[in-house]
Amino acid sequence: MNKIASLAIAGIAALVSTSISAQVELNGEFKQGALIRAKVQPGTQVYLNDDPIKVNPNGEFAFGFSREAELKQMLKLVYPDGLTELKPLSIEKRDYKIQQVNGISKKIMKPDPKAQSRAAKDSKQVKTARAQFSPNDAFNQTFIWPLTGRISGVYGSQRVYNGKPGTPHYGVDVAAKTGTVVVAPADGVISLSVADMFYSGGTMIIDHGYGVSSSFLHLSKLYVKEGQTVKQGDKLAEVGATGRATGPHLDWRINWYQMRLDPTTIVPSMKSVLEKQSTK
């Protein structure tokens, strides 16, 4: 092959590559615990590590990286014309706060059988709510904080009780007085509304569509019921210290189906929000 032909082929390859890359838009932080919102040409099939992802008619979709997600992943895009693009994704590893707690009683470490049975029933309800799929496009909205204030707990942190690792914390805690109003961070439909669960107390889940949901834990009062449609900013509930909570606060969680993600990856920093409020 002569030099001119080689340059021509290289030029065509570059044009094709540019054209493909321009067809996918990825928005979010590429790190463990993050929710990513994306857009492709309508009709494109999308796969994350060979698992299919549902895409809405406008080409919008969401996916996430778990707390301990592999740092190298692959997004596959099959465009309407049959052309396939493999897009390698590099994920940032995060360090989480680990706290050693000793001297915890056996009763707290292992609740009685009746309490365990109740907790298992609660967990099943939550998993069912998070597993459902709805064609709601609210997942792609710009989310707001459901409550502003001092952050008292962060995503991914973990306590080691008497040398035994506990379940990591999968939400962000915002400290507030009991009765403080919690609002919807985005539009959606209430998929769960239970006044008293064993661990999480008053618990509510909003389905934002395409696998994305918000959970609110330790609520003292719930304003809305399962099946109701809510808009961003609507009043949902009141902060409490129900369930296994040591003080009043809101535990806000984001899920992509059963994958637990960090809410702070889809909202402005709490510091910036509070600063903006103070200047009004």
Side-chain angles (χ1 to χ4, degrees):
M1 183 182 297
N2 61 42
K3 186 176 181 179
I4 294 177
S6 297
L7 288 172
I9 291 173
I12 292 171
L15 286 172
V16 171
S17 175
T18 301
S19 175
I20 292 174
S21 298
Q23 292 182 48
V24 58
E25 179 183 325
L26 301 173
N27 300 300
E29 302 179 58
F30 283 78
K31 65 181 183 180
Q32 292 174 328
L35 175 67
I36 305 296
R37 273 82 65 82
K39 187 170 184 178
V40 290
Q41 180 184 349
T44 300
Q45 298 173 52
V46 180
Y47 302 83
L48 180 64
N49 305 317
D50 292 325
D51 293 324
I53 296 177
K54 292 184 178 180
V55 182
N56 75 9
N58 296 322
E60 298 166 334
F61 61 99
F63 62 96
F65 305 122
S66 68
R67 180 180 183 270
E68 300 295 338
E70 295 291 333
L71 303 184
K72 298 294 182 182
Q73 302 199 33
M74 184 69 72
L75 193 67
K76 183 170 75 172
L77 307 165
V78 182
Y79 296 106
D81 61 3
L83 189 64
T84 297
E85 178 185 12
L86 296 178
K87 191 172 184 64
L89 304 177
S90 294
I91 314 305
E92 178 186 340
K93 181 176 176 59
R94 293 175 64 176
D95 293 322
Y96 300 106
K97 181 180 179 181
I98 308 298
Q99 181 182 8
Q100 302 288 336
V101 182
N102 297 312
I104 304 299
S105 70
K106 291 183 179 180
K107 182 179 180 180
I108 294 177
M109 288 291 292
K110 189 175 182 179
D112 63 65
K114 185 177 180 180
Q116 290 184 57
S117 176
R118 180 185 168 196
K121 180 182 177 182
D122 294 342
S123 179
K124 185 176 180 180
Q125 283 184 277
V126 169
K127 286 183 177 179
T128 298
R130 288 174 173 165
Q132 69 184 36
F133 170 82
S134 71
N136 192 335
D137 295 334
F139 73 92
N140 213 27
Q141 280 185 306
T142 299
F143 279 54
I144 63 172
W145 283 92
L147 174 70
T148 57
R150 179 178 63 86
I151 292 180
S152 57
V154 296
Y155 172 89
S157 60
Q158 186 176 30
R159 289 178 175 174
V160 179
Y161 299 99
N162 300 340
K164 183 178 179 181
T167 302
H169 185 242
Y170 288 112
V172 57
D173 293 341
V174 182
K177 294 180 180 179
T178 295
T180 306
V181 174
V182 176
V183 303
D187 298 353
V189 176
I190 305 300
S191 55
L192 184 74
S193 184
V194 179
D196 185 24
M197 288 189 159
F198 180 71
Y199 283 110
S200 56
T203 304
M204 185 179 294
I205 297 179
I206 300 178
D207 174 16
H208 301 296
Y210 284 81
V212 178
S213 65
S214 283
S215 298
F216 312 93
L217 284 55
H218 309 302
L219 304 169
S220 62
K221 186 176 182 180
L222 287 65
Y223 298 159
V224 290
K225 298 180 179 180
E226 189 172 322
Q228 283 188 237
T229 297
V230 294
K231 292 293 185 181
Q232 185 178 72
D234 283 355
K235 295 178 180 180
L236 300 175
E238 295 178 6
V239 169
T242 56
R244 298 286 286 271
T246 57
H249 69 282
L250 172 68
D251 182 345
W252 176 35
R253 305 186 175 197
I254 287 288
N255 270 58
W256 180 55
Y257 297 108
Q258 305 301 341
M259 187 180 290
R260 296 165 170 141
L261 305 174
D262 185 353
T264 65
T265 65
I266 58 169
V267 286
S269 71
M270 181 65 82
K271 181 180 179 181
S272 68
V273 172
L274 293 176
E275 286 177 348
K276 185 176 290 187
Q277 289 178 348
S278 67
T279 59
K280 290 183 178 180

